[in-house]
Each structure stands twice: as structure tokens, then as C-alpha cells.
Amino acid sequence: MISRLLVANRGEIARRVFRTCRDLGIETVAVFSDPDAALPHATEADRAVRLPGASPAETYLDQKAILDAARAAGADAVHPGYGFLSENAAFAEAVLAAGLTWVGPPPKAIAAMGLKTEAKRLMREAGVPVLPDLDPGAVSDFPVLIKASAGGGGRGMRVVRDAAELAGALESARREAESAFGDPAVFCEPLLTGARHIEVQVLADTHGTVWTLGERECSIQRRHQKVIEEAPSPAIDTALRQRLCEAAAAAARAIGYEGAGTVEFMLAPDGGFFFLEVNTRLQVEHPVTECVYGVDLVALQIEVAEGTALKDPPRPSGHAIEARLYAEDPAEGYRPHSGALHTFAVPGVDAEFRVPGAYGLRLDSGVVSGSVISTHYDPMLAKVIAYAPTRGAAARRLAAALAGTRVHGPVTNRDQLVAALRHEAFLAGATDTGFLDRHDTTGRRADAGTVRLSALAAALAQAAANRAEATVLGGLPSGWRNVPSQPQRVAFDESGTVHEVAYRLTRAGLVAEGHEDVSLVSASPDAVVLTAGGVRLRFTVARHGHGVYVDSVLGAVTFTRVERLPDPAEQVAPGTLLAPMPGSVIRVAVSEGDTVERGQPMLWLEAMKMEHQILAPAGGVVTALHAEVGAQVETGAVLAVVTEE
């Protein structure tokens, strides 16, 4: 029996495993890097061990450091979570060699699926349908998909639509695969257009029993990484589900699988399906299966590791949809963001890290208000899951919860998730892996009218805050004059557009330029109630540094207050290219004196486990270039200057 378990991971998945351990009476051990010292997973565990350093290589990927932490804390078992060392056969062997219980599949099963080309060969022999492998040097039919042989998660993956793109895509894919997995090997396979990403949850014990707990659809993806997952799939009928589950069970038996795992397939529009890979670990999207089948997959993992035999599999009920909330900007190519998360609040949560008692809303989060999003790791903040009797009800509940979420600090993909969940094509079940490319969901929810009303609310909340802090005559309205002259003015910048608010608080009430149909009901430093066009609306307002965050039923708006007397030293000259994030320069495509067009790729940064194109801020001549390959840069560093001709 396991008595003290160490989770060799961080954030949301560590907290998820700890919750089950508490239910089972198992003590918990966390490991944490220096940037993660204050994150919830490091503070909630019974014991926590520091991994000195910040980068994954010197912390969560350091096998010796993890095993030393297990010994120091007296752990007798290790759960790998997902990512990092979760699919590393050598680490699993080292855990077992240290006399610890490994809460995962046998090392041989992990090794068998570790290289995708070898995995496809084994599946082909087991009778599981697979796509043909293509030699990257001999591809003639397009489009094709380049994939890293040693890993997944979208790293080292590139779509190539013609021969002219192939060489550059191969170079980029190999470089990213080397960085992410330590192995630059890649291969190609035909790209299925209009296909769905379908996966089957498997669970196998040490006594020969294999469960298949239905399918999940994970077709809503960006950069080949999932953002919305659901169970069951709207495209799968009973007959196809049986065929998929039989293929998944055959795959598990072919490699002697034990524990929880996932067999992934691509489903073609004609109903044919093809093996992708076996994820020899718990999946990020496991909560949707837990909701529909009423199980605790982490508890089952632990029971299998302890030698317990599986009994009769549960039956499904209802529909669950999960959305991954990331600190990234969809409008800028999904560029990740970092920094302090000032506020994080999801309304109407019924359960955290567990299936709701009835239908409801579940939250699995690695952060809380005040957490700092690091540049060293994946930018996922949380998973929000809605479980309901029907797919339509689940989509509506999840969209409403995300729309009402207050998230202040780094830019997130929240509005894109809401737009996707409310899109008529999604609601009709017309989803495939090209959904986000085909449907524009990157726009913000707040329209121009909402931005203007939100700016007025921000100004009134700031005025209320000023009066609350006043030491003399604090009861007078802001800007009070016996003889009115000019209105009060304050300006806010929103996405590069400056909104000036001009208003007066008179005996008769609010008078605001451009808001003749708006009246003020109440104003406090953190909330303003306005009546606009006869409808009463509440705006919550939060201020952090120069940032002002306004939330309402109309949509969330983020402003930067425009200072009346800005510091000249803080002004940025036009055409200056600043580093949008900390990272390493891995490629420079221009030289001083080159002529570039606005939006042209100038260099590439590696950050948060991905490559990011940095584009020219204007058209003109590169008059200064400060970036060089191998250099480490911080956010705001001047990389280059483009002078307009």
C-alpha cells in the first residue's frame, strides 16, 4: 500500500493528484523550482522539496534531483503527472530501481511507444490502422505533416503544403524537437484534411483486464495543441465507437499496458480512422471522461499500481466539455504571456479537481489570484469543465462561465474559447482540426460601445477611489466646483486606441460627453453601476499599476491609463522592435541595411517550449540590429530598429 506519494510535476496536475491522495489518506510530496516556490502545488502538499533552478532541464526534468527529493521526503511512490518525465522509460526504471512504486505503465510499454515510427510498426502488426510513414527527403505528394519522432504536444510539428516549404519546415521542426525532447529525428505522413482528432481512454490492470472508457474528441486545436475537448464525440455512433474501442484495446494489449493511458486516432471524413500514438500517461483532458463515467482516474491509477484488479467498467451518462485557459494572445499567433496574475475568479464552480455531485461546473487550476506566470513552462492557467445532460447544455454552461471569469494580468485566450463554444459550427458538431483556422474566433467580445462605457466606468471608479483616499472634504463629489467650467478628463489606452473620457458630477447627476443616455446609479473604487438606454449595468473595476481591468456582462476590457505628464525616458521610438517575452534568439533573418515590410519575420525566439516569430513593427530599413543567435533577451529588450523610408 502506498503511504506517501511524490508528484514529479507542477501546477494543475500536481494539485489534481494531491486531491485524490487526500481522499485516499495518502500523504503528499511536492517538488518545486525557484519560480514555482509560491504556487499552490508547492504550498498545499504535506511536504515539499526545492529543486534549485528555473529551467525544466535543471528542475522537473532532472531525474536525479527528483529521486533525491523522494528519498529526502520519505516517499514510497512517484506519480509523474503529464509532460516532463511522464513518458520517460529510463525515469520509470530508475524509480523502480530505487525501490519506489511507479504510478504509471511498465517501462517497456513506455519505451515501445517512445518513438512514433516504432510505435506505428507495432500497431500495424497488431492490426490497428496506421498512416504510411514518408521519408522527409523523398516527399512528392502534398500536403504532409512533419512530426517529431520522440514526442508530441505539437512540438516539432509542421504542416507543409508544397515542396518550396519543405526544407525550412524540416529545419525548424528538427530544431524544436531537439529542444523539447533531446532528439531531432522527425518523419512525415500524409496530412488528412477535414479530419477529427479522436482518442480512447484505456485502463488496464496487472491481471489482464483492459477497460476502454469511450472516446474524447479533441479537434479544436491551435499550433497542433488541444484547447477544447469533449466526451462523447458528436461524430461517433455506436458501431464506430465499438470499432475504435476494440482498436484501442488491441493497442494496449500489444504492448502489455498497465494503468491509465490514451490511444489517439485521426478520424477521416469518410469514417476511416488511423492510429496516431499512445500517450502512456494521464491526459490533460481526463476530467471529461471522469465526469461522463463517474470515475476518479487518478485513484484507479493508484489502485492498479498497488495491484488491485479492475472490476466491471462503469457506464457513461451525459456530456462533458473542457476548455483550456492559456496565458496567450490568439490575435498575435498565440504568443504566450507571463507575469503576475492579479485576479483569477471563475463564477459558479461546483467542484474543484473532482466530478461535481450532480451536473455542474468543475475547475482544475494550477494558479490562484496573485500567482506569477513563469516564462519557463507551459502557459496553461486552468481547465474549466462543464458537465450536463446534453452537449448543448454543456457548451452553454461552459461559455457562460468563461465569459464571466475575471482574469487580470497576462493576456489570455478566454474570449476565443467563448467565441468557439458559441459558434454555430461548433454547436452543430461540425468540428475538425482546422476549425480555428477556418473560423475567425480571435476577436474580442467587447465591441466599441462596450469599450466606451467601460472607460467611463473606469474613470468614475478612479474618481471614487480618489475621494475615498482624500483627507479633506472627502464627501464632496470628484472635481466639484461652485461655478462649473471644464469637465474632468482622463484618458485610457485600449489596444493602441486612446479613449478620452470627459465628465462632470453635478447636482443633477452625471454629465458625460458622448454618453447622453447614460446616468450614474452608484460608484465605488471597485464597482460602478450605470443605466444606459434604460438598462442598468454593473461594472467591476480593478487597478494594478498602470493597468485598469473592467468586467461586465458586456465583456471584459483592459485599459492602460494614459499619464498626463509621461516620463520621456519611457517613450519608445517608432519602428523599435522590442522583445515581447524573455527567450533565446535562435535565428536572425535580416541584417543591418536590409529593407523589410511591416509584418515580415525578422527573427525567432525560443520561449515557453515553443518557437515564436518576431515580426517587423514597420516597413523600412533595418538601421540597428542588436539580436544575435544564442543571445538571451528579457522582455522589453530592444532587438532592432526599423526606420521608415
Side-chain angles (χ1 to χ4, degrees):
M1 296 288 287
I2 295 171
S3 61
R4 186 176 301 162
L5 182 145
L6 179 145
V7 178
N9 219 295
R10 63 183 295 278
E12 167 264 327
I13 185 55
R15 298 183 76 195
R16 166 68 188 89
V17 176
F18 292 160
R19 196 278 299 162
T20 289
C21 287
R22 287 192 293 272
D23 288 352
L24 298 177
I26 298 173
E27 292 186 22
T28 57
V29 180
V31 289
F32 62 90
S33 65
D34 290 338
D36 286 350
L39 282 188
H41 85 271
T43 59
E44 292 174 353
D46 297 318
R47 292 169 171 80
V49 180
R50 175 184 174 231
L51 303 176
S55 71
E58 61 189 354
T59 55
Y60 301 106
L61 288 173
D62 188 331
Q63 299 184 34
K64 181 179 183 301
I66 298 291
L67 290 173
D68 287 346
R71 295 187 188 96
D76 59 0
V78 173
H79 191 298
Y82 48 70
F84 296 124
L85 295 169
S86 63
E87 295 181 278
N88 188 305
F91 179 60
E93 290 175 347
V95 169
L96 294 170
L100 306 174
T101 298
W102 168 249
V103 185
K108 287 185 178 180
I110 298 174
M113 295 294 101
L115 293 177
K116 287 187 172 63
T117 50
E118 176 64 13
K120 290 175 70 175
R121 183 189 66 80
L122 290 172
M123 293 302 104
R124 190 179 292 111
E125 292 176 354
V128 179
V130 299
L131 287 168
D133 292 341
L134 304 176
D135 181 354
V139 174
S140 57
D141 293 328
F142 295 89
V144 297
L145 186 63
I146 301 172
K147 301 175 73 171
S149 182
R155 277 80 181 185
M157 191 175 291
R158 300 289 187 274
V159 173
V160 181
R161 301 193 181 279
D162 59 59
E165 302 175 1
L166 184 60
L170 282 170
E171 178 187 358
S172 176
R174 285 169 175 149
R175 186 169 56 239
E176 194 168 86
E178 171 72 27
S179 173
F181 312 115
D183 185 346
V186 298
F187 66 98
C188 294
E189 61 185 23
L191 177 67
L192 293 177
T193 56
R196 295 175 184 256
H197 187 133
I198 305 292
E199 59 190 31
V200 176
Q201 176 71 56
V202 299
L203 192 72
D205 62 19
T206 57
H207 307 279
T209 300
V210 177
W211 282 2
T212 55
L213 299 180
E215 83 285 348
R216 298 184 288 255
E217 174 154 344
C218 311
S219 297
I220 309 296
Q221 304 179 2
R222 88 284 187 266
R223 300 184 67 158
H224 309 293
Q225 293 178 306
K226 308 162 188 172
V227 289
I228 297 177
E229 304 100 342
E230 60 181 307
S233 166
I236 306 298
D237 59 22
T238 301
L240 180 54
R241 180 172 297 113
Q242 182 175 347
R243 290 168 51 213
L244 283 163
C245 289
E246 288 173 352
R253 291 190 174 96
I255 58 174
Y257 201 81
E258 296 170 6
T262 298
V263 186
E264 301 198 346
F265 301 94
M266 292 301 291
L267 177 65
D270 64 2
F273 61 87
F274 303 92
F275 171 82
L276 275 179
E277 61 184 342
V278 175
N279 291 134
T280 53
R281 54 170 169 79
L282 196 66
Q283 285 282 77
V284 179
E285 56 273 19
H286 74 274
V288 295
T289 296
E290 290 188 325
C291 288
V292 170
Y293 280 85
V295 297
D296 183 331
L297 286 172
V298 174
L300 289 168
Q301 282 185 299
I302 292 172
E303 291 175 8
V304 168
E306 292 177 331
T308 302
L310 296 173
K311 298 178 181 178
D312 294 331
R315 298 181 64 83
S317 175
H319 199 101
I321 306 176
E322 171 182 292
R324 302 189 194 183
L325 187 66
Y326 282 95
E328 64 182 20
D329 190 348
E332 294 188 5
Y334 300 99
R335 177 168 67 84
H337 284 244
S338 58
L341 184 65
H342 305 298
T343 305
F344 179 63
V346 182
V349 172
D350 298 296
E352 293 190 47
F353 302 105
R354 67 172 73 245
V355 178
Y359 297 117
L361 193 72
R362 168 175 171 171
L363 175 67
D364 285 24
S365 171
V367 297
V368 294
S369 295
S371 294
V372 176
I373 311 306
S374 169
T375 61
H376 297 285
Y377 316 111
D378 187 274
M380 189 175 77
L381 305 178
K383 304 178 311 197
V384 186
I385 306 98
Y387 176 45
T390 65
R391 184 174 186 269
R396 182 169 58 187
R397 177 71 188 273
L398 183 54
L402 289 167
T405 294
R406 300 182 70 206
V407 53
H408 302 159
V411 176
T412 73
N413 66 332
R414 185 266 310 275
D415 285 356
Q416 183 183 46
L417 295 173
V418 173
L421 289 164
R422 289 175 172 171
H423 197 284
E424 60 182 9
F426 178 85
L427 295 175
T431 56
D432 59 52
T433 55
F435 184 92
L436 294 183
D437 296 327
R438 190 167 59 256
H439 302 293
D440 182 14
T441 57
T442 58
R444 63 188 181 192
R445 287 190 303 121
D447 58 22
T450 297
V451 173
R452 291 177 60 250
L453 269 178
S454 298
L456 176 59
L460 295 171
Q462 182 61 61
N466 293 341
R467 300 315 300 155
E469 296 169 359
T471 56
V472 177
L473 299 177
L476 286 181
S478 176
W480 175 260
R481 297 289 187 276
N482 284 328
V483 179
S485 56
Q486 295 296 314
Q488 291 183 259
R489 297 182 184 275
V490 62
F492 300 97
D493 181 282
E494 191 270 337
S495 299
T497 300
V498 175
H499 300 269
E500 184 178 74
V501 180
Y503 70 95
R504 287 190 298 118
L505 296 173
T506 71
R507 289 185 177 90
L510 172 70
V511 177
E513 294 181 3
H515 295 284
E516 287 72 19
D517 65 340
V518 177
S519 60
L520 174 63
V521 178
S522 64
S524 68
D526 57 5
V528 172
V529 179
L530 301 173
T531 296
V535 179
R536 182 172 291 189
L537 300 166
R538 177 182 173 84
F539 300 81
T540 59
V541 183
R543 292 167 295 278
H544 301 282
H546 292 297
V548 182
Y549 303 89
V550 183
D551 294 281
S552 73
V553 71
L554 303 177
V557 183
T558 300
F559 296 110
T560 300
R561 177 157 182 170
V562 178
E563 299 298 327
R564 289 185 178 180
L565 300 172
D567 185 348
E570 296 180 357
Q571 304 304 298
V572 178
T576 302
L577 180 63
L578 304 179
M581 69 195 85
S584 174
V585 180
I586 58 175
R587 181 184 171 195
V588 179
V590 298
S591 302
E592 287 191 15
D594 287 355
T595 299
V596 298
E597 297 180 358
R598 180 182 177 85
Q600 175 181 330
M602 292 184 65
L603 54 92
W604 281 256
L605 288 181
E606 183 182 66
M608 288 183 167
K609 304 195 291 184
M610 300 289 284
E611 289 188 6
H612 306 278
Q613 284 187 355
I614 309 302
L615 309 179
V621 177
V622 181
T623 53
L625 182 64
H626 304 293
E628 58 183 29
V629 174
Q632 294 288 326
V633 298
E634 294 299 322
T635 301
V638 178
L639 302 175
V641 177
V642 177
T643 302
E644 295 187 30
E645 295 178 313

